Amino acid sequence: MGKFFVNGGVALYGSVRVSGSKNASLPVIFASLAMRGVSEITGLSDIGDTRVALEIIKGFGAKVEKRGELTLIDTRELEYIIPDEQLVSRLRASTYLLSATLSRFGRAELQSFGGCNFSKRPIDMHLYALSEFGALLGERTLTLSVNRPAIIEFDKCSVGATVNALIMAATRKGESTIKRVAKEPHIMTLVEYLRSAGAEIRLEGDSFTVKGRELSGGRVTIPGDMIEAGTFLTLSLVTRGSIKVYGVNPSELSAFMKPLSDSGVEFTVTPSYICASREPRAPIDIVTAPYPEFPTDLQPIAAPLLATYCGGSIEDRVWESRFGYLAEMAKHGVGFRQRGNRAEIFPSQIVPAESEATDLRGGMANLMLALFANGESVISSAELVLRGYERLTEKLTALGAEIEYCM
Ligand code: UD1
């Protein structure tokens, strides 16, 4: 179990470049299993989750080669294996194996798909979409012996189910339609990747129309991580410093910036960087929902901002109970009241403490409090945070933080 040791109370100053988006990288890595060829992926970040995903696809025989910024994935010769359940259970995105291996081998395993454990995470929508393409559900497996398109009508927005439906549709002969899709930037990166490998994909309103075929290797550049960018912008305000954040598309952060701007924060947005200045002067009220609304992944990140300034509320409309991290924040002095999918966070006296990362973003929230509080804090289960942030201690140290990671 890894730990962060932090000597907090230092305002962070300087510039940081965000790494390739985690949520865009994982669908791309798994989708490459559905392609027969050599794929070229630029800007894949080297974080815990991408390492595990690459390890899983190597199990099928994929050859992975890193050449600087470029990652080559050769999937010309693969063979079906039952993926290592230990690895699969570390990633939620391993659900993308369902469509990737069904389309490539006609078989997929139903395993304990892992990931952050902040809520019930059902897969009924994934199974519905796969069965519309002809997949048959067994006790622990899915099998597919037909190659036909499908019309998928989701009843709500799911990133994961949209990814699985897109990978299936892109590899089926004929034209499929997927209705009520998620349109997160990371979904659009997957679309670009599938297109580059030969699929024809159109987005109209809330539907994708997909003309699929046998896919060759694809080519894509992973965009900068909007969640990492939101993290550093918030950290800049929380530590009362000033951080210029490079490498992200500012339009992806509009919904994140809106409630902060409403409370008095000023964002400087230039073509190359974003910077937050002026402190919030009023409570901040956040409501998360599918893109383009406020991202659920940034609500735990915003919580320290509420706690260290004027308080506010968070309502999560994606996950019914993504607040497990608040009890750990309480160890740093954060006062809150939570009911169902809504939490009120009170302006609080923040103190150094020993706390535990409950999940990736929740753990980052604790780390932000530790960086703010005067004195020494220890955050355990720190490896959960490193699942999603590349060279984190290095980036923080360059901004002036006193932090060490020990295994
Ligand atoms: C979700 C977020 C994504 C975030 C990720 C990790 C949305 C729409 N999705 O993606 O931005 O990066 O969490 O925090 O914001 N659901 C079902 N049945 C299913 C699949 C999902 O009922 O088969 C429900 C979930 O319980 C949830 C909602 O749909 O309430 C969205 O889930 P989904 O988008 O699939 O989750 P992730 O792909 O993990």
Side-chain angles (χ1 to χ4, degrees):
M1 218 169 60
K3 288 185 175 174
F4 289 126
F5 293 87
V6 178
N7 190 11
V10 181
L12 302 186
Y13 284 93
S15 307
V16 71
R17 177 165 291 279
V18 298
S19 302
S21 155
K22 167 179 104 67
N23 290 338
S25 303
L26 298 173
V28 163
I29 293 172
F30 286 111
S32 61
L33 281 185
M35 301 174 179
R36 201 180 289 271
V38 181
S39 295
E40 294 180 16
I41 303 158
T42 305
L44 206 62
S45 59
D46 184 22
I47 49 176
D49 274 16
T50 53
R51 281 185 219 142
V52 173
L54 290 172
E55 222 31 62
I56 293 174
I57 67 162
K58 281 187 203 167
F60 292 91
K63 295 190 187 75
V64 179
E65 191 190 327
K66 290 247 177 204
R67 287 191 199 155
E69 277 289 280
L70 187 67
T71 305
L72 299 173
I73 301 183
D74 182 346
T75 50
R76 283 174 295 187
E77 283 169 41
L78 301 182
E79 61 170 340
Y80 189 75
I81 52 136
I82 296 178
D84 178 346
E85 191 131 12
Q86 280 264 358
L87 290 175
V88 164
S89 66
R90 285 165 63 184
L91 284 187
R92 187 63 191 171
S94 49
T95 44
Y96 306 152
L97 281 171
L98 294 175
S99 57
T101 66
L102 268 179
S103 55
R104 181 72 186 254
F105 308 103
R107 181 172 167 181
E109 307 296 317
L110 289 169
Q111 296 178 299
S112 351
F113 302 115
C116 289
N117 193 17
F118 46 66
S119 199
K120 275 191 221 135
R121 301 184 83 173
I123 59 163
D124 55 308
M125 293 168 65
H126 302 242
L127 296 180
Y128 151 72
L130 299 169
S131 68
E132 291 301 297
F133 286 102
L136 299 175
L137 183 59
E139 211 176 302
R140 292 267 304 164
T141 55
L142 284 167
T143 50
L144 180 70
S145 53
V146 292
N147 185 339
R148 65 166 201 232
I151 296 174
I152 311 295
E153 294 185 57
F154 288 129
D155 55 10
K156 64 174 148 182
C157 230
S158 156
V159 169
T162 302
V163 167
N164 267 325
L166 271 170
I167 295 174
M168 281 309 288
T171 53
R172 302 299 88 194
K173 280 186 207 135
E175 186 170 290
S176 296
T177 309
I178 313 168
K179 298 183 185 170
R180 192 133 192 226
V181 296
K183 292 187 281 191
E184 265 69 1
H186 33 285
I187 294 280
M188 301 321 290
T189 305
L190 174 67
V191 165
E192 200 187 318
Y193 186 51
L194 294 169
R195 278 185 186 139
S196 73
E200 289 172 42
I201 306 177
R202 273 196 335 269
L203 173 65
E204 273 162 308
D206 282 344
S207 301
F208 282 120
T209 306
V210 183
K211 270 194 198 156
R213 56 169 54 90
E214 190 171 321
L215 301 178
S216 60
R219 182 187 280 235
V220 76
T221 296
I222 304 293
D225 195 312
M226 67 168 181
I227 308 300
E228 187 187 358
T231 302
F232 279 105
L233 288 169
T234 311
L235 191 57
S236 160
L237 293 164
V238 167
T239 65
R240 280 63 178 166
S242 176
I243 304 174
K244 286 182 180 164
V245 179
Y246 287 79
V248 69
N249 175 353
S251 69
E252 292 177 7
L253 284 170
S254 303
F256 160 77
M257 292 193 276
K258 174 80 175 57
L260 276 58
S261 305
D262 290 348
S263 81
V265 175
E266 242 174 52
F267 289 96
T268 307
V269 179
T270 77
S272 50
Y273 70 84
I274 311 181
C275 186
S277 54
R278 296 190 53 180
E279 308 186 330
R281 291 188 304 267
I284 299 175
D285 295 311
I286 289 168
V287 179
T288 80
Y291 191 81
E293 302 300 327
F294 195 102
T296 172
D297 283 351
L298 281 175
Q299 64 93 338
I301 302 297
L305 188 66
L306 276 55
T308 59
Y309 284 98
C310 314
S313 66
I314 298 174
E315 183 179 331
D316 197 319
R317 293 194 181 160
V318 177
W319 299 109
E320 65 198 25
S321 57
R322 191 175 183 169
F323 291 114
Y325 67 88
L326 287 174
E328 290 302 311
M329 285 189 35
K331 294 179 181 167
H332 291 273
V334 173
F336 69 94
R337 185 164 46 213
Q338 183 226 331
R339 240 182 129 183
N341 71 339
R342 189 168 187 282
E344 273 174 83
I345 296 177
F346 308 120
S348 311
Q349 196 66 39
I350 305 300
V351 292
E354 290 196 14
S355 63
E356 175 156 11
T358 50
D359 60 82
L360 160 51
R361 310 298 171 187
M364 176 49 93
N366 276 10
L367 178 54
M368 290 163 85
L369 292 174
L371 289 163
F372 170 69
N374 267 314
E376 288 176 17
S377 291
V378 182
I379 315 284
S380 54
S381 298
E383 68 284 352
L384 291 179
V385 180
L386 297 176
R387 283 183 40 206
Y389 292 92
E390 188 178 45
R391 294 186 289 107
L392 180 61
T393 52
E394 212 177 292
K395 288 182 181 180
L396 289 171
T397 306
L399 295 168
E402 290 179 37
I403 178 169
E404 255 183 66
Y405 173 73
C406 296
M407 300 257 273

